Amino acid sequence: MGFTTARIAVLLSGNGSNLQAILDAISDGSLEHGRVELVVSSNNSAHGLQRARLAGIPTAVVRSRDYASREEFDAALSNVIDDHRIDLIVLAGYMSILSESFVSRYPRRIVNIHPSLIPAFAGEGFYGLKVHEAALAAGVKISGATVHYVNEVCDGGEILEQETVRIEGIDRAEDVQQRVLTHVEHVIYPRVIERLSKEIVGNRDDR
Ligand code: GRF
């Protein structure tokens, strides 16, 4: 298996429903070229950690507040990722912003999912329910999600995939969030990860 699958780390801070969708896609065989080898949380209480433990996946908690400087935090995060020989870093509800120097260590090796159609409702300050509140305030009838590479610009990396969902008639941000998660995020994220994993494995075979 080792050489035929890309080694994935999922970084999260909360519920981890996207992690679960990725694990489910691996179980049902639709994600066949990647394996989640590590889950890293930015806090001790993320429910995603429990999901990882249940699935027998190694976990780590790396909290910026435990480090004296940004550089030391970056080094700790890089160390755990490099120790597990990770090919692809998947951000799934990860609430810390990665520094420019960290991001530059892993070019085209970090992806994120954002719960809107970038460039709408994206960038600094647009996270969690705030994204969906802004969509409701703007009165949009369609929202969706975007999977993109992570670069040094917040929500600014190359777009890999987008999918829409109608939100007309929904008036609570929590309900929009749920609809975007279940109709779009949990569908497109495993699909993109499979595509990227397949590419990684293919490039490895070419050597
Ligand atoms: C998702 O809406 C994702 O787009 C955003 O954070 C949320 C994480 O949800 N980046 P979950 O923890 O995967 O359930």
Side-chain angles (χ1 to χ4, degrees):
M1 198 198 292
F3 285 121
T4 55
T5 56
R7 298 177 63 84
I8 296 167
V10 174
L11 273 55
L12 50 73
S13 304
N15 182 23
S17 70
N18 278 289
L19 165 67
Q20 194 63 57
I22 293 163
L23 296 176
D24 292 348
I26 291 170
S27 298
D28 75 20
S30 56
L31 203 174
E32 54 175 330
H33 290 91
R35 286 285 175 278
V36 180
E37 307 284 358
L38 172 69
V39 169
V40 181
S41 173
S42 63
N43 64 77
N44 283 311
S45 52
H47 180 58
L49 285 170
Q50 287 183 44
R51 296 182 191 264
R53 288 182 195 123
L54 263 178
I57 297 165
T59 60
V61 175
V62 186
R63 306 188 305 176
S64 55
R65 67 159 96 148
D66 294 333
Y67 298 91
S69 67
R70 187 76 214 190
E71 289 70 29
E72 285 174 40
F73 169 75
D74 282 359
L77 194 55
S78 288
N79 282 343
V80 69
I81 283 168
D82 298 344
D83 281 351
H84 287 81
R85 294 176 291 115
I86 295 303
D87 297 304
L88 184 65
I89 300 170
V90 170
L91 308 187
Y94 185 64
M95 296 298 273
S96 299
I97 292 185
L98 296 171
S99 73
E100 212 171 313
S101 88
F102 181 90
V103 167
S104 66
R105 290 201 55 195
Y106 306 95
R108 296 171 79 84
R109 283 288 185 265
I110 314 177
V111 292
N112 181 43
I113 188 158
H114 183 77
S116 75
L117 298 169
I118 291 176
F121 317 123
E124 251 165 83
F126 287 104
Y127 58 86
L129 278 179
K130 288 182 194 292
V131 178
H132 306 294
E133 282 160 6
L136 284 177
V140 297
K141 310 294 181 215
I142 291 172
S143 192
T146 303
V147 180
H148 62 92
Y149 279 125
V150 172
N151 66 7
E152 58 296 337
V153 181
C154 178
D155 294 333
E158 183 189 327
I159 291 174
L160 289 158
E161 181 65 289
Q162 290 185 305
E163 195 76 61
T164 60
V165 64
R166 288 201 76 83
I167 60 165
E168 196 169 7
I170 304 180
D171 42 37
R172 289 178 63 241
E174 290 82 356
D175 295 337
V176 176
Q177 180 179 52
Q178 211 45 42
R179 190 170 176 85
V180 171
L181 275 167
T182 55
H183 284 67
V184 185
E185 298 189 49
H186 298 165
V187 179
I188 67 171
Y189 217 7
R191 201 160 72 198
V192 173
I193 293 165
E194 164 61 10
R195 196 174 89 211
L196 298 176
S197 298
K198 199 172 174 183
E199 268 173 37
I200 289 167
V201 171
N203 290 338
R204 211 184 264 160
D205 291 344
D206 288 346
R207 277 198 305 234

